[in-house]
């Protein structure tokens, strides 16, 4: 017959083993959750662009320009570009584009509007708003230092970034507060300015119609 006085000791050992296993599982779960949270917050707060950001590429895969999706079917690129190209997403994914037209910005720079042959993923299409005087914004390019500063209006639709932006023209400028697309960098004489999306939409009314 089993000695009943041994049962409390056995139950205590089983309880201890169960608690140790639960503690180990909880520790692993917390570590995974913490790593995920840190990664998400870093992306949300820094807004860094990556090598998989939308870009305009030729048939051989060489990059032509950075692409700025503005609606689920329209993309803007800096410069006067060719009739057809491809939008590269997440490295391997390619979407054929057809040229709508090339237009001029108030700064004198040019943008080319393309239409995608298929709907763009929602994740790459930002909310479009307009730049405001004194607004905090950020611009980034893979492999280069992220710019963040204030947009100071110097004329209708044209904003002087403070400090100066050295990352080049044809890049999207996003609001720090809500990550909406507020403008596009453009060359103005020897400096880079930010042209508000309100001025871009005036030059390209197709964008407003396609929203």
């Amino acid at each position: 017959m089993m000695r009943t006085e041994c049962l409390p000791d056995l139950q205590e050992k089983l309880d201890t083993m169960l608690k140790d296993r639960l503690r180990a599982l909880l520790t692993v779960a917390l570590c995974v959750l913490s790593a995920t949270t840190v990664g998400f917050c870093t992306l949300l707060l820094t807004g860094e662009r990556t090598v998989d950001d939308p870009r305009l590429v030729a048939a051989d895969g060489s990059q032509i320009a950075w692409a700025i999706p503005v609606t689920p079917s329209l993309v803007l690129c800096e410069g006067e570009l060719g009739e057809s190209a491809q939008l590269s997403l997440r490295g391997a994914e390619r979407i054929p584009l057809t040229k709508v037209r090339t237009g001029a910005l108030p700064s004198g720079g040019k943008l080319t509007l393309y239409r995608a042959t298929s709907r763009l993923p929602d994740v790459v299409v930002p909310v479009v708003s307009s730049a405001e005087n004194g607004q905090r914004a950020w611009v980034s390019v893979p492999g280069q230092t992220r710019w963040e500063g204030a947009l100071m209006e110097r004329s209708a639709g044209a904003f002087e970034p403070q400090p100066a932006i050295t990352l080049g023209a044809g890049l999207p400028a996003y609001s720090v507060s809500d990550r909406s697309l507020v403008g596009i960098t453009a060359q103005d004489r020897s400096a880079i300015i930010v042209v508000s999306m309100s001025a871009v939409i005036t030059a390209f009314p197709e964008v407003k119609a396609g929203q």
Side-chain angles (χ1 to χ4, degrees), residues 126-141:
V127 173
V128 176
S129 59
S130 297
E132 299 177 358
N133 190 40
Q135 184 175 31
R136 300 287 299 179
W138 60 266
V139 178
S140 67
V141 174

Side-chain angles (χ1 to χ4, degrees), residues 25-88:
L25 289 173
L26 181 59
T27 300
V28 172
L30 287 175
C31 288
V32 173
L33 179 61
S34 297
T36 303
T37 303
V38 169
F40 176 77
C41 289
T42 299
L43 176 62
L44 182 64
L45 295 175
T46 64
E48 294 292 347
R49 293 170 64 82
T50 71
V51 293
D52 291 333
D53 279 342
R55 62 188 69 198
L56 194 72
V57 298
D60 62 0
S62 59
Q63 181 172 333
I64 300 173
W66 290 110
I68 307 173
V70 287
T71 77
S73 62
L74 295 175
V75 176
L76 283 168
C77 299
E78 194 264 338
E80 187 168 2
L81 305 176
E83 292 298 319
S84 62
Q86 298 179 47
L87 179 66
S88 176

Side-chain angles (χ1 to χ4, degrees), residues 65-153:
W66 290 110
I68 307 173
V70 287
T71 77
S73 62
L74 295 175
V75 176
L76 283 168
C77 299
E78 194 264 338
E80 187 168 2
L81 305 176
E83 292 298 319
S84 62
Q86 298 179 47
L87 179 66
S88 176
L89 298 173
R90 294 185 288 272
E93 185 178 353
R94 302 282 178 82
I95 297 177
L97 302 174
T98 56
K99 183 176 179 179
V100 177
R101 64 186 180 88
T102 296
L105 295 174
S107 63
K110 292 184 177 182
L111 293 175
T112 297
L113 181 67
Y114 285 96
R115 187 179 302 279
T117 57
S118 60
R119 183 181 176 88
L120 304 180
D122 291 341
V123 69
V124 303
V125 182
V127 173
V128 176
S129 59
S130 297
E132 299 177 358
N133 190 40
Q135 184 175 31
R136 300 287 299 179
W138 60 266
V139 178
S140 67
V141 174
Q144 298 189 42
T145 303
R146 176 179 184 263
W147 175 88
E148 182 176 321
L151 301 179
M152 308 307 296
E153 189 170 16

Side-chain angles (χ1 to χ4, degrees), residues 140-200:
S140 67
V141 174
Q144 298 189 42
T145 303
R146 176 179 184 263
W147 175 88
E148 182 176 321
L151 301 179
M152 308 307 296
E153 189 170 16
R154 69 180 192 183
S155 61
F159 290 76
E160 179 182 344
Q162 296 181 357
I165 295 177
T166 59
L167 298 177
L171 297 172
Y174 297 99
S175 165
V176 169
S177 62
D178 60 13
R179 302 192 69 192
S180 62
L181 176 64
V182 297
I184 297 176
T185 62
Q187 190 73 44
D188 183 33
R189 300 183 179 86
S190 60
I192 295 293
I193 64 170
V194 172
V195 178
S196 174
M197 286 306 298
S198 60
V200 173

Side-chain angles (χ1 to χ4, degrees), residues 1-14:
M1 295 179 63
M2 181 180 292
R3 296 176 60 184
T4 56
E5 60 267 22
C6 294
L7 292 178
D9 291 339
L10 180 59
Q11 184 63 48
E12 185 177 353
K13 289 180 180 180
L14 290 175

